[in-house]
């Protein structure tokens, strides 16, 4: 297994709108990021993935881009961006930009041209079809609700938008589109960035003919998954991008890929033949989805640890010595990890540390989402007026207004799963608006900011923040944390997730209690312990304790070196 800097890295995701407002207009920006770089340096992360900062009308908070080569006015200017990059590099922090090329904004000049006439030179940059029997070309549902097709009166045709109608899908079958994307990608790389997170990248090749999706619900539109994800030309397109651009730079690439199997994982990240370094897969984000409910995206069932172990172990083992894993429990599209997989009340600190141990001790590159390092939680605003996310607002309209579902029930789903849980402003201190802005924040701050904030975390040596620092140091100082192979212990234990990491003679044992209970952990006899050293734990531990039979405390986490 080759040594690579991107395997050894710890990535911190910044969602710029909510991170820090440097100019007092209520919106996070690049100046704000520059102000907080010393904080990131103190944490110890060495890569930042920056969610989109390009020009955008913000239908989907920057994931709808109208100019790839300029900065959104609310966030700053290209000159400030250059300064930010230089300040990052000065501190040994590398920068991944977000590459959003499955779609553009409908306000991008290409689309503005494309919709003018059927013979416009840009028409074929997008996916247009005539209607069928007086309705949409097929029955595909948009991921944000409603049809995936939008009728355009000027030319009497529909265009495809997998996400919102202001995010028309690019037509990657058109070689001109690909060349434009590669030129733009190169333009950013030439500015000295260190890589890309590739947004929704396994959607870029659609199945020819765009057939109707199978009808699996009584709804008007159906999920088109099999016809849009991992399409027939995906690997070809990505390998072309690798050959023409990516391979020419020493960079870090991570593809956002829903609905992938570990076979896709190997194909896309293979050390020699794959186009990308690593993926964000989503299988573990689905283990708590209630498939039997009317809305699995929105309705959770309690975590079944056996299922989580199954998913994680499959990814860990199937990619071993072939591709490379990455691991996250939170990002800007997911609820807060501690609220979802831990306990955001009595055991908030313990469970946040336990989950952090899980993320950082698996085999793969770990990702920290802003605020995760201080244990920020989900938010429960009473009124839909306080929510901002297009997916959440569309869902509310469809469920509460069109279907007439009980509003309390709909709000409960939003409290649990809305993407806005991750997008409340970063909590810096106990001052008004959590120190995020001197103005009026674009989205309300989580009311718990007086107890949960960076200032408080930095003042408490036992805080979640300092625990993250220890995990990050552990990774930097011990090659086994980066390169050691993973083996699950106790497949069937319902409360404890334990595994080993082994690199030649070096072996770590990780024991994690995922519950509020006090389960017994008995080390299986095939794991030999002649001597042991406690490297890290989230609760005080008696070093003389015999680890062959332990009663774990709620959300306890321990990492041992075994000899
Ligand atoms: C995935 C991004 O993470 C999400 O925030 C966005 O809405 C969609 N892709 C569309 O770009």
């Amino acid at each position: 297994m080759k040594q690579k800097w991107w395997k050894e890295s710890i990535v911190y995701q910044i969602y710029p709108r909510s991170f820090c407002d440097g100019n007092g207009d209520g919106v996070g920006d690049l100046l704000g990021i520059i102000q907080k770089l010393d904080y990131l340096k103190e944490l110890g992360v060495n890569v930042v993935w920056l969610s989109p900062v390009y020009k955008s009308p913000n239908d989907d908070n920057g994931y709808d881009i109208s100019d790839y080569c300029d900065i959104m006015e609310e966030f700053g200017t290209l000159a400030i961006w250059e300064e930010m990059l230089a300040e990052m590099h000065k501190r040994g922090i590398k920068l991944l930009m977000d590459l959003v090329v499955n779609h553009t904004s409908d306000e991008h000049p290409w689309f503005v041209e494309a919709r003018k006439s059927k013979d416009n030179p840009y028409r074929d940059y997008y996916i247009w079809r005539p209607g069928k029997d007086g309705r949409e070309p097929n029955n595909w549902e948009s991921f944000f609700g409603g049809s995936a097709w939008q009728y355009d009166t000027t030319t009497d045709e529909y265009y495809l938008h997998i996400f919102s109608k202001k995010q028309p899908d690019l037509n990657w079958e058109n070689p001109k589109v690909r060349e434009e994307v590669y030129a733009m990608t190169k333009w950013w790389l030439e500015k000295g960035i260190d890589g890309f997170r590739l947004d929704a990248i396994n959607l870029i090749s659609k199945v020819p003919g765009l057939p109707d999706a199978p009808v699996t619900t009584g709804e008007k539109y159906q999920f088109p998954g099999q016809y849009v994800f991992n399409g027939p030309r995906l690997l070809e397109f990505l390998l072309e991008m690798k050959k023409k651009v990516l391979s020419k730079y020493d960079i870090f690439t991570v593809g956002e890929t829903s609905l992938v199997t570990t076979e896709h994982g190997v194909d896309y990240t293979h050390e020699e033949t794959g186009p990308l370094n690593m993926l964000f897969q989503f299988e573990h984000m689905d283990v708590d989805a209630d498939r039997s409910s009317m809305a699995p995206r929105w309705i959770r069932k309690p975590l079944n640890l056996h299922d989580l172990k199954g998913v994680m172990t499959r990814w860990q083992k199937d990619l071993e010595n072939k591709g490379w894993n990455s691991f996250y429990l939170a990002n800007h599209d997911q609820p807060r990890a501690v609220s979802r997989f831990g306990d955001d009340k009595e055991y908030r600190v313990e469970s946040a540390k336990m989950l952090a141990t899980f993320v950082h001790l698996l085999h793969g590159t770990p990702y920290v989402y802003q605020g995760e390092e201080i244990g920020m939680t989900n938010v429960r605003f009473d009124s839909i007026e306080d929510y901002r996310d297009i997916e959440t607002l569309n869902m509310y309209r469809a469920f509460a207004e069109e279907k007439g579902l009980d509003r309390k029930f709909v709000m409960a789903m939003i409290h649990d799963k809305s993407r806005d849980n991750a997008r409340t402003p970063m909590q810096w201190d106990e001052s008004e608006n959590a120190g995020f802005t001197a103005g009026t924040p674009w989205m309300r701050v989580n009311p718990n900011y007086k107890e949960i904030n960076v200032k408080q975390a930095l003042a408490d040596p036992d805080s979640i923040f300092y625990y993250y620092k220890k995990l990050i140091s552990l990774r930097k100082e011990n090659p086994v944390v980066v390169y050691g192979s993973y083996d699950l212990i106790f497949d069937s234990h319902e409360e404890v997730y334990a595994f080993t990491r082994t690199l030649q003679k070096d072996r770590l044992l990780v024991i994690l209690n995922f519950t509020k209970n006090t389960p017994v952990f008995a080390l299986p006899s095939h794991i030999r312990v002649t001597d042991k050293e406690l490297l890290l734990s989230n609760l005080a531990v008696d070093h003389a304790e015999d680890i062959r039979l332990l009663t774990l405390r709620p959300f306890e986490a321990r990492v041992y070196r075994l000899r």
Side-chain angles (χ1 to χ4, degrees):
M1 172 121 322
K2 288 194 197 121
Q3 295 190 344
K4 297 278 183 195
W5 64 268
W6 40 266
K7 296 181 181 173
E8 294 167 16
S9 293
I10 304 100
V11 186
Y12 187 91
Q13 184 192 351
I14 293 183
Y15 192 68
R17 213 174 179 74
S18 304
F19 190 61
C20 180
D21 174 15
N23 69 355
D25 66 355
V27 175
D29 52 31
L30 303 182
L31 278 178
I33 295 175
I34 296 173
Q35 285 168 21
K36 298 298 181 186
L37 291 178
D38 286 336
Y39 167 73
L40 297 185
K41 173 97 186 134
E42 167 72 11
L43 179 60
V45 296
N46 61 337
V47 176
V48 161
W49 150 29
L50 183 60
S51 279
V53 292
Y54 318 94
K55 275 221 155 50
S56 159
N58 277 313
D59 190 50
D60 185 18
N61 284 355
Y63 282 94
D64 48 321
I65 298 170
S66 53
D67 185 348
Y68 286 105
C69 297
D70 206 350
I71 301 294
M72 191 190 301
E73 269 164 43
E74 287 172 308
F75 289 172
T77 60
L78 210 45
I80 302 176
W81 179 89
E82 305 259 7
E83 187 191 332
M84 180 196 74
L85 179 65
E87 291 297 327
M88 284 182 173
H89 283 169
K90 226 191 258 174
R91 291 167 178 78
I93 298 175
K94 294 181 186 277
L95 175 64
L96 306 186
M97 292 289 277
D98 212 318
L99 190 65
V100 187
V101 288
N102 172 67
H103 45 270
T104 67
S105 161
D106 66 340
E107 297 182 32
H108 192 288
W110 299 338
F111 192 77
V112 172
E113 282 301 310
R115 77 190 324 172
K116 283 184 181 161
S117 68
K118 286 186 186 165
D119 54 10
N120 187 283
Y122 288 92
R123 183 74 171 179
D124 201 26
Y125 272 42
Y126 297 87
I127 302 171
W128 296 91
R129 293 289 183 276
K132 209 166 88 189
D133 310 326
R135 49 177 294 183
E136 298 88 1
N138 67 25
N139 68 353
W140 292 2
E141 182 181 36
S142 150
F143 294 176
F144 289 162
S147 170
W149 294 94
Q150 178 67 23
Y151 180 66
D152 200 52
T153 43
T154 317
T155 55
D156 186 29
E157 281 195 333
Y158 293 78
Y159 63 84
L160 179 69
H161 61 90
I162 298 285
F163 296 94
S164 97
K165 62 176 189 243
K166 284 186 68 62
Q167 293 168 298
D169 280 51
L170 282 166
N171 176 17
W172 275 68
E173 302 287 329
N174 179 349
K176 280 198 214 142
V177 167
R178 306 206 294 275
E179 289 308 323
E180 297 259 22
V181 168
Y182 305 153
M184 177 271 285
T185 308
K186 195 159 176 285
W187 188 83
W188 281 104
L189 288 166
E190 287 298 318
K191 290 203 166 291
I193 65 165
D194 305 286
F196 290 108
R197 175 257 190 191
L198 294 90
D199 183 75
I201 199 65
N202 62 333
L203 284 171
I204 60 177
S205 163
K206 279 84 178 167
V207 165
L210 313 180
D212 273 331
V215 178
T216 55
T217 67
E219 304 293 329
K220 195 163 166 199
Y221 304 110
Q222 304 291 325
F223 180 61
Q226 69 198 92
Y227 298 125
V228 295
F229 285 109
N230 310 304
R233 298 187 70 190
L234 174 63
L235 209 48
E236 175 198 334
F237 293 156
L238 290 178
L239 287 172
E240 183 180 74
M241 184 192 272
K242 177 184 177 184
K243 183 163 159 231
K244 294 195 169 176
V245 190
L246 306 178
S247 62
K248 302 196 191 310
Y249 301 84
D250 177 22
I251 53 168
F252 177 140
T253 53
V254 50
E256 189 210 23
T257 53
S258 296
L259 285 192
V260 279
T261 62
T262 55
E263 287 77 31
H264 294 122
V266 172
D267 287 347
Y268 303 164
T269 72
H270 193 280
E271 290 239 349
E272 310 297 335
T273 55
L276 302 173
N277 297 148
M278 62 188 97
L279 303 180
F280 292 130
Q281 59 85 14
F282 286 79
E283 271 197 74
H284 63 298
M285 291 285 110
D286 279 341
V287 287
D288 60 349
D290 185 350
R291 299 248 149 253
S292 65
S293 71
M294 43 84 66
R297 155 74 186 88
W298 293 96
I299 300 183
R300 279 200 308 145
K301 62 177 187 191
L303 177 68
N304 176 327
L305 196 57
H306 184 69
D307 292 346
L308 182 66
K309 288 181 194 179
V311 168
M312 293 323 301
T313 303
R314 187 154 36 75
W315 276 90
Q316 294 275 296
K317 294 317 271 183
D318 288 2
L319 266 58
E320 198 174 281
N321 296 323
K322 295 182 190 132
W324 188 254
N325 273 297
S326 60
F327 194 48
Y328 67 95
L329 286 177
N331 61 37
H332 65 292
D333 293 332
Q334 301 292 336
R336 292 281 174 180
V338 70
S339 301
R340 181 176 184 181
F341 299 113
D343 172 80
D344 63 8
K345 296 187 181 66
E346 191 182 351
Y347 297 109
R348 187 182 65 87
V349 173
E350 292 83 349
S351 64
K353 290 178 180 175
M354 184 280 289
L355 293 169
T357 317
F358 182 44
V359 173
H360 288 255
L361 265 296
L362 283 169
H363 188 189
T365 301
Y367 287 73
V368 183
Y369 179 65
Q370 68 185 38
E372 199 177 354
E373 77 281 12
I374 55 164
M376 277 177 64
T377 69
N378 280 354
V379 73
R380 291 172 168 269
F381 295 133
D382 293 332
S383 161
I384 191 68
E385 302 293 315
D386 287 324
Y387 286 85
R388 296 285 174 271
D389 171 32
I390 180 170
E391 188 199 30
T392 306
L393 300 178
N394 284 356
M395 173 285 222
Y396 184 84
R397 201 172 310 122
F399 285 180
E401 289 166 9
E402 286 159 23
K403 281 195 193 293
L405 290 185
D406 177 52
R407 277 168 203 254
K408 274 205 178 126
F409 174 68
V410 176
M411 287 313 288
M413 292 197 265
I414 290 175
H415 293 159
D416 229 23
K417 287 295 287 289
S418 166
R419 307 197 297 182
D420 273 341
N421 282 307
R423 300 176 182 188
T424 58
M426 180 75 182
Q427 293 164 207
W428 294 104
D429 59 36
E430 74 291 344
S431 70
E432 204 185 343
N433 297 320
F436 161 73
T437 179
T440 308
W442 72 279
M443 177 174 193
R444 267 183 68 197
V445 173
N446 190 321
N448 65 17
Y449 71 91
K450 293 210 165 127
E451 298 85 61
I452 304 172
N453 61 63
V454 168
K455 189 172 157 206
Q456 179 276 339
L458 291 176
D460 172 9
D462 204 25
S463 67
I464 301 167
F465 177 89
Y466 288 114
Y467 191 84
Y468 267 85
K469 272 192 77 138
K470 287 187 200 159
L471 279 165
I472 291 169
S473 306
L474 202 68
R475 180 176 195 82
K476 289 185 179 160
E477 288 155 17
N478 297 280
V480 61
V481 176
V482 179
Y483 294 106
S485 56
Y486 158 102
D487 289 287
L488 179 68
I489 312 174
F490 282 145
D491 184 21
S492 58
H493 201 301
E494 283 169 10
E495 295 173 310
V496 179
Y497 193 145
F499 55 95
T500 55
R501 300 287 312 282
T502 312
L503 185 67
Q504 288 147 3
K505 288 197 170 138
D506 200 4
R507 178 177 257 196
L508 304 184
L509 168 66
V510 182
I511 308 170
L512 308 167
N513 176 9
F514 264 76
T515 69
K516 283 183 186 165
N517 308 330
T518 51
V520 172
F521 169 79
L523 198 64
S525 55
H526 71 271
I527 308 229
R528 289 194 302 125
V529 187
T530 44
D531 191 9
K532 64 176 193 315
E533 178 194 354
L534 183 74
L535 295 183
L536 190 67
S537 62
N538 63 349
L539 295 167
V541 166
D542 171 2
H543 287 258
E545 201 173 6
D546 181 2
I547 61 167
R548 300 210 148 271
L549 194 66
L550 288 178
T551 301
L552 295 169
R553 288 159 289 177
F555 295 105
E556 182 158 9
R558 300 187 188 194
V559 182
Y560 285 100
R561 169 165 277 131
L562 303 182
R563 296 197 186 87

Coordinates of all heavy atoms in Angstrom, one line a residue, residues 424-448:
T424 N -27.1 25.6 10.8 CA -27.2 26.8 11.7 C -25.8 27.3 11.9 O -24.8 26.6 11.8 CB -27.8 26.3 13.1 OG1 -27.0 25.3 13.6 CG2 -29.2 25.8 12.9
P425 N -25.7 28.6 12.1 CA -24.3 29.2 12.2 C -23.4 28.5 13.3 O -23.9 28.1 14.3 CB -24.6 30.7 12.6 CG -26.0 30.9 12.0 CD -26.7 29.6 12.2
M426 N -22.1 28.5 12.9 CA -21.1 28.0 13.8 C -21.2 28.8 15.1 O -21.3 30.0 15.1 CB -19.8 28.2 13.1 CG -18.6 27.7 13.9 SD -18.5 25.9 13.9 CE -17.0 25.7 14.9
Q427 N -21.0 28.1 16.2 CA -21.1 28.7 17.6 C -19.8 29.0 18.1 O -19.1 28.1 18.6 CB -22.0 27.7 18.5 CG -23.4 27.6 18.0 CD -24.2 26.5 18.5 OE1 -25.2 26.1 17.8 NE2 -23.9 26.0 19.6
W428 N -19.4 30.3 18.0 CA -18.0 30.6 18.4 C -17.9 31.0 19.9 O -16.9 30.7 20.5 CB -17.5 31.8 17.5 CG -17.3 31.4 16.1 CD1 -18.2 31.6 15.1 CD2 -16.3 30.5 15.6 NE1 -17.7 31.0 13.9 CE2 -16.6 30.4 14.2 CE3 -15.2 29.9 16.1 CZ2 -15.7 29.6 13.4 CZ3 -14.3 29.2 15.3 CH2 -14.6 29.0 14.0
D429 N -18.9 31.7 20.4 CA -18.9 32.1 21.8 C -20.3 32.4 22.3 O -21.3 32.1 21.6 CB -18.0 33.4 22.0 CG -18.4 34.6 21.2 OD1 -19.6 34.8 21.1 OD2 -17.5 35.3 20.7
E430 N -20.4 32.9 23.5 CA -21.7 33.1 24.1 C -22.4 34.4 23.8 O -23.4 34.7 24.3 CB -21.7 32.8 25.6 CG -21.0 33.8 26.5 CD -19.5 34.0 26.3 OE1 -18.9 33.1 25.7 OE2 -19.0 35.0 26.8
S431 N -21.7 35.3 23.0 CA -22.2 36.6 22.7 C -23.4 36.4 21.8 O -23.6 35.4 21.2 CB -21.2 37.5 22.2 OG -20.8 37.1 20.9
E432 N -24.1 37.5 21.5 CA -25.3 37.5 20.6 C -24.9 36.8 19.3 O -23.9 37.1 18.7 CB -25.8 38.9 20.4 CG -27.3 38.9 20.1 CD -27.7 40.3 19.7 OE1 -27.1 41.3 20.1 OE2 -28.8 40.4 19.1
N433 N -25.8 36.0 18.8 CA -25.6 35.3 17.6 C -24.4 34.4 17.6 O -23.7 34.2 16.6 CB -25.6 36.2 16.3 CG -26.9 36.9 16.2 OD1 -28.0 36.3 16.4 ND2 -26.9 38.2 15.9
A434 N -24.0 34.0 18.8 CA -22.9 33.0 19.0 C -21.6 33.5 18.4 O -20.7 32.7 18.1 CB -23.3 31.7 18.4
G435 N -21.4 34.8 18.2 CA -20.2 35.4 17.7 C -20.0 35.1 16.2 O -18.9 35.3 15.6
F436 N -21.1 34.6 15.6 CA -21.0 34.3 14.1 C -21.0 35.5 13.3 O -20.3 35.6 12.3 CB -22.1 33.3 13.8 CG -22.4 33.3 12.3 CD1 -21.6 32.6 11.4 CD2 -23.6 33.9 11.8 CE1 -21.8 32.6 10.0 CE2 -23.8 33.8 10.4 CZ -22.9 33.2 9.5
T437 N -21.8 36.5 13.7 CA -22.0 37.7 12.9 C -22.3 38.9 13.8 O -22.9 38.7 14.9 CB -23.1 37.6 11.9 OG1 -23.2 38.8 11.2 CG2 -24.5 37.3 12.5
A438 N -21.9 40.1 13.4 CA -22.3 41.3 14.1 C -23.6 41.8 13.6 O -24.2 42.7 14.1 CB -21.2 42.4 13.9
G439 N -24.1 41.2 12.5 CA -25.4 41.6 11.9 C -26.5 40.7 12.2 O -26.5 40.0 13.3
T440 N -27.4 40.6 11.3 CA -28.6 39.6 11.5 C -28.2 38.4 10.7 O -28.1 38.4 9.5 CB -29.9 40.2 11.0 OG1 -30.0 41.5 11.5 CG2 -31.1 39.4 11.3
P441 N -28.1 37.2 11.4 CA -27.7 36.0 10.7 C -28.7 35.5 9.6 O -29.9 35.7 9.9 CB -27.6 35.0 11.8 CG -28.3 35.5 13.0 CD -28.4 37.0 12.8
W442 N -28.2 35.0 8.5 CA -29.1 34.6 7.4 C -30.0 33.4 7.9 O -31.1 33.2 7.4 CB -28.3 34.1 6.2 CG -27.5 32.8 6.4 CD1 -26.4 32.7 7.1 CD2 -28.0 31.6 6.0 NE1 -26.0 31.3 7.1 CE2 -27.0 30.6 6.4 CE3 -29.1 31.1 5.3 CZ2 -27.1 29.3 6.2 CZ3 -29.1 29.7 5.0 CH2 -28.2 28.8 5.4
M443 N -29.5 32.7 8.9 CA -30.3 31.7 9.5 C -30.1 31.7 11.0 O -29.0 32.0 11.5 CB -29.8 30.3 9.0 CG -30.5 29.2 9.6 SD -30.1 27.6 9.0 CE -31.4 26.7 9.7
R444 N -31.2 31.5 11.8 CA -31.1 31.6 13.2 C -30.1 30.7 13.8 O -29.9 29.6 13.4 CB -32.5 31.3 13.8 CG -33.3 32.5 14.1 CD -34.6 32.1 14.7 NE -34.4 31.7 16.1 CZ -35.3 31.0 16.8 NH1 -36.5 30.6 16.2 NH2 -35.1 30.6 18.0
V445 N -29.4 31.2 14.9 CA -28.5 30.4 15.6 C -29.2 29.4 16.5 O -30.3 29.6 17.0 CB -27.6 31.3 16.5 CG1 -26.7 30.6 17.4 CG2 -26.8 32.3 15.6
N446 N -28.6 28.2 16.7 CA -29.2 27.2 17.6 C -29.2 27.8 19.0 O -28.1 28.3 19.5 CB -28.3 25.9 17.6 CG -28.9 24.8 18.3 OD1 -29.6 25.0 19.4 ND2 -28.8 23.6 17.8
P447 N -30.4 27.8 19.7 CA -30.4 28.5 21.0 C -29.5 27.9 22.0 O -29.3 28.5 23.1 CB -31.9 28.3 21.4 CG -32.6 27.9 20.2 CD -31.7 27.3 19.2
N448 N -28.9 26.8 21.8 CA -28.0 26.2 22.8 C -26.6 26.8 22.7 O -25.7 26.2 23.4 CB -28.0 24.7 22.8 CG -27.4 24.1 21.5 OD1 -26.8 24.8 20.8 ND2 -27.7 22.8 21.3

